[in-house]
Amino acid sequence: MSPELALASARAYAPEGTARLDGKIAEDRWTHARGLDPHRPLFRIQIDGPEPATLYVSSATGQVVLDAPVTQQRWNYAGAWLHWLYLFRSRPVDPVWTWLVIALSGACTLIAASGVLVGIWRWRFRGRYKSGSRSPYREPWMRWHHVLGLGFSLFTCTWIFSGLMSMNPGGVFAAPDPPPDRAAYAGPAGAPRMDDPRPALAALRASGFAPVELHWRRLGGENYILAFDADGDSRVVRAGPQGPRIAPHWRPEEVLPAAAALFPGWRWRSTVLTAYDAYYYGRHDEAMNGGAPRGLPALRLEGDNGVLAYIDLRSGDLALALSPSQRVGRWLFYFLHSWDLPPMLRAAALRDALLILLSAGGILLSATGCVIGLLSATGCVIGWRRLRAKAAPRRPPGRRGA
């Protein structure tokens, strides 16, 4: 794509503002997501107007792949930018940043877990201290830290630990080996193509579907068109003897022969999903992995080697392939970090309220810990005094001097 076409795409996306090209970049502070890799380098375009924003346009397709309003950018300094320590990340593959995050999250997991053990050990489940409290601490901040820790520490620990797991430390969550053969799944080229879109557009409109975007695809050697409307709904357009044939999705028996080529020699069991399961599910656009399409129905393939694969029948795409270790990672990262089981996602309002409550408790727990550290000059002082007192030699009993 040329800079002029990128600017035209940005003007069509944000017609109320004034677009100006701000260069062509491989990656900056807002474009670390690996889902943008097929579109790099990106045209960065500033939109000046009532709602200023930065648009990122794909150099491969010319589409706007990221909309970053200035207001959201400011909030992200207190959100994702701070959360992922992007201030220490200087390039796309940055091992220093990677191991910094792994080391800090690992150390914080151990600190939080030890705090939980100390909190449980010091709490009087039977009886009370002389003060009448079940907590030994008389200072308000320490007592509140103790009580809040007992109430919210499990959530805090699992959240820090799952953040550590998100970094895939040491490559423990390895992808399937060998990877799925997507080229074999697409099949050989050479079959007739529907290069002229007009018959497909006419057939789609005659069926009551209003297309705004067409993708040319191939599956098992057959060329087809995947059409989208303005609401993200889709149709599959295939060539037929009487003209284009329109279908809402592929049938499983049409996909299974091509699916066998994904993992040559792989023995598998197939199931058609009409509802999401624990590994294949959809999220809203703003959520983690929300940009990954997860349509229904889907074809689930379970191999005898423990690999799970999901084919989105609405598009014909291989949407997800998970090795056994990645399935473990799904529970240690995604579940513990986002509580994203399909039943939880369906109870969206209740889930959001509970996560906000637990997050607020974690903030208060951290805040009281910070106050304790400040009042003690440093959080290490309390522990150092305790250790020094225990290490000091005891004086033998005896008479005092005259």
Side-chain angles (χ1 to χ4, degrees), residues 209-229:
F209 189 82
V212 299
E213 186 174 320
L214 301 179
H215 293 205
W216 274 257
R217 304 286 185 89
R218 190 171 70 250
L219 193 159
E222 178 183 352
N223 292 303
Y224 67 100
I225 293 176
L226 181 63
F228 291 92
D229 67 8

Side-chain angles (χ1 to χ4, degrees), residues 153-349:
S153 57
L154 179 61
F155 174 75
T156 305
C157 283
T158 56
W159 207 36
I160 300 172
F161 173 74
S162 59
L164 169 62
M165 294 297 101
S166 74
M167 299 300 296
N168 189 20
V172 293
F173 306 128
D177 187 22
D181 192 342
R182 296 177 184 268
Y185 175 66
R193 282 171 49 96
M194 293 180 285
D195 288 328
D196 186 353
R198 287 173 294 181
L201 291 171
L204 286 164
R205 289 167 182 152
S207 70
F209 189 82
V212 299
E213 186 174 320
L214 301 179
H215 293 205
W216 274 257
R217 304 286 185 89
R218 190 171 70 250
L219 193 159
E222 178 183 352
N223 292 303
Y224 67 100
I225 293 176
L226 181 63
F228 291 92
D229 67 8
D231 295 323
D233 197 7
S234 63
R235 293 291 186 273
V236 174
V237 185
R238 303 168 68 187
Q242 305 300 324
R245 295 179 295 151
I246 312 298
H249 54 76
W250 289 86
R251 293 197 302 270
E253 60 270 19
E254 296 170 334
V255 173
L256 279 171
L262 284 168
F263 295 93
W266 184 37
R267 298 168 58 186
W268 40 262
R269 298 181 299 278
S270 64
T271 310
V272 176
L273 296 182
T274 56
Y276 292 126
D277 66 8
Y279 297 99
Y280 182 83
Y281 52 93
R283 299 292 306 275
H284 57 82
D285 290 341
E286 294 79 10
M288 190 163 43
N289 283 349
R294 298 282 189 269
L296 290 172
L299 184 65
R300 169 181 160 133
L301 304 174
E302 185 171 2
D304 54 5
N305 56 355
V307 173
L308 275 181
Y310 294 86
I311 294 175
D312 185 347
L313 293 176
R314 294 184 61 120
S315 64
D317 293 336
L318 175 65
L320 185 65
L322 297 171
S323 67
S325 62
Q326 286 178 314
R327 293 168 68 176
V328 174
R330 182 267 178 275
W331 297 104
L332 295 183
F333 170 38
Y334 289 104
F335 172 66
L336 292 180
H337 211 66
S338 300
W339 292 18
D340 57 357
L341 288 178
M344 294 178 172
L345 296 175
R346 287 194 293 269

